[in-house]
Amino acid sequence: MSATSTVQLMDGTSLAKRIEDAAARAAEISPRTGTSPCLATVLVGEDPASATYVRMKQARCAKTGSRSRHIGLPATTTTAELIDTLAGLSSDPGVHGILLQHPCGPHIDERAAFEAIAPEKDVDGVTMHSFVAMSFVLPGFVSCTPGGIMRLLEAYDVDLAGKHAVVVGRSAILGNPAGMLLLVMNATVTYSPSRTAGLSAIVREADVVVAAVGRRRLIRGEGVKPGAVVVDAGHDPGNVGDVDFDTASTRTRLITPVPGGVGPMTIAILPAQTVDAAANLLGIQRH
Ligand code: NAP
């Protein structure tokens, strides 16, 4: 990648719209099957932010022609009860995708709950099966945010082979699978968790930076290699990202804005994968 001062934005909003339009076209499987894709959403407790996220995801699915079935469980739900619910949805032929909204509460063993989701319905990409499938390039569903990041990089023709990608953060839903997907594309991947020594020197070496931390403007422009591609997955208080956009964008070749970069992509992947899951389960041939 050559150094340049011309900033180009990776526009997640318009790419997400294209993905949703494609999902909507693909969702037109109902005339052929007498049914439409169905996403089951499961929410434990009444956290208003989580409830809002679930409603937003249901609305996006509706926009792309999928139905939702919502299961609201009381905050007192035990792990065993949640597992029962998820296992029931996993074996229900009328459900094609399952979303367990997290966090579920400190008393719930979330990992055990996620594993009760059948892999073929894991449209949020949260099971161990999905993680292994991502890593080994096997059929399966990706975690939505890392999947959205990869779709953005692909859409902007970012050739990852042989490039040094630094992923700052390693959470199970974001940094960890994002690095795995970059590795699959033959990038040389460095993970930087919170105890990283000399983070700025590591980031400065990166051809591609994925910021997945949750710290406002942690990565400053002067810490970015000129000509780098920067994906800011952070969504931090004040509607800003983990990267200081104003200073970084004077040096990057490509950068995602916050908002309007990774966020809309994350939202688009769930309905797209719900439609894919329905097509797979209903035995619809895809083109
Ligand atoms: P998380 O579970 O809190 O994980 C944060 C990660 O950042 C951890 O791996 C942590 O390392 C690492 N970290 C913390 N401080 C660090 C530092 N100073 N240097 C390097 N690494 C550091 O957060 P998350 O769920 O992954 O979310 C991260 C950000 O992405 C948040 O802003 C969140 O809002 C945003 N997000 C956006 C979307 C979207 O659609 N745009 C989706 C999901 C999340 P340790 O593992 O060592 O603790």
Side-chain angles (χ1 to χ4, degrees):
M1 277 169 223
S2 62
T4 169
S5 60
T6 310
V7 61
Q8 194 191 345
L9 293 182
M10 286 185 274
D11 179 356
T13 305
S14 62
L15 179 56
K17 177 150 188 351
R18 293 208 296 278
I19 290 172
E20 287 176 352
D21 289 348
R25 284 194 299 278
E28 288 168 3
I29 53 182
S30 6
R32 284 184 277 165
T33 61
T35 187
S36 53
C38 177
L39 174 74
T41 57
V42 180
L43 177 64
V44 180
E46 286 164 10
D47 174 58
S50 294
T52 303
Y53 286 134
V54 169
R55 276 196 299 275
M56 191 180 69
K57 290 168 186 176
Q58 290 169 332
R60 299 310 270 245
C61 280
K63 237 181 104 191
T64 53
S66 296
R67 293 168 290 130
S68 325
R69 186 193 299 175
H70 183 65
I71 292 103
L73 298 172
T76 50
T77 302
T78 64
T79 299
E81 288 165 340
L82 179 57
I83 286 174
D84 266 0
T85 300
L86 293 165
L89 294 169
S90 290
S91 57
D92 182 338
V95 169
H96 308 113
I98 301 171
L99 168 86
L100 171 61
Q101 183 65 38
H102 57 108
C104 300
H107 65 295
I108 297 272
D109 179 346
E110 270 189 8
R111 177 47 48 205
F114 284 143
E115 295 312 317
I117 297 173
E120 63 273 20
K121 298 186 182 183
D122 180 21
V123 291
D124 206 22
V126 293
T127 60
M128 286 194 270
H129 181 283
S130 296
F131 186 77
V132 171
M134 272 185 272
S135 314
F136 291 175
V137 204
L138 295 170
F141 294 112
V142 292
S143 309
C144 291
T145 307
I149 290 171
M150 298 309 289
R151 294 284 291 265
L152 259 181
L153 292 171
E154 185 190 6
Y156 283 87
D157 293 325
V158 178
D159 179 11
L160 293 161
K163 301 297 187 301
H164 183 196
V166 171
V167 182
V168 191
R170 51 127 180 228
S171 72
I173 58 149
L174 179 43
N176 200 327
M180 202 55 78
L181 292 171
L182 290 162
L183 180 65
V184 165
M185 296 307 291
N186 299 308
T188 302
V189 179
T190 301
Y191 284 100
S192 298
S194 59
R195 294 194 194 183
T196 301
L199 177 67
S200 36
I202 293 168
V203 171
R204 207 173 293 124
E205 292 299 312
D207 300 308
V208 177
V209 180
V210 175
V213 183
R215 298 273 153 87
R216 281 170 65 92
R217 300 187 178 121
L218 174 74
I219 296 164
R220 311 283 308 172
E222 56 275 18
V224 172
K225 180 174 167 179
V229 172
V230 173
V231 177
D232 188 354
H235 188 226
D236 305 322
N239 219 11
V240 297
D242 292 344
V243 177
D244 184 49
F245 182 86
D246 290 345
T247 54
S249 60
T250 62
R251 292 162 72 92
T252 52
R253 180 166 77 80
L254 284 166
I255 187 167
T256 54
V258 178
V262 175
M265 293 298 297
T266 299
I267 295 167
I269 299 296
L270 180 74
Q273 295 201 131
T274 300
V275 173
D276 288 343
N280 293 341
L281 288 163
L282 296 167
I284 305 288
Q285 292 295 320
R286 308 293 299 279
H287 303 288

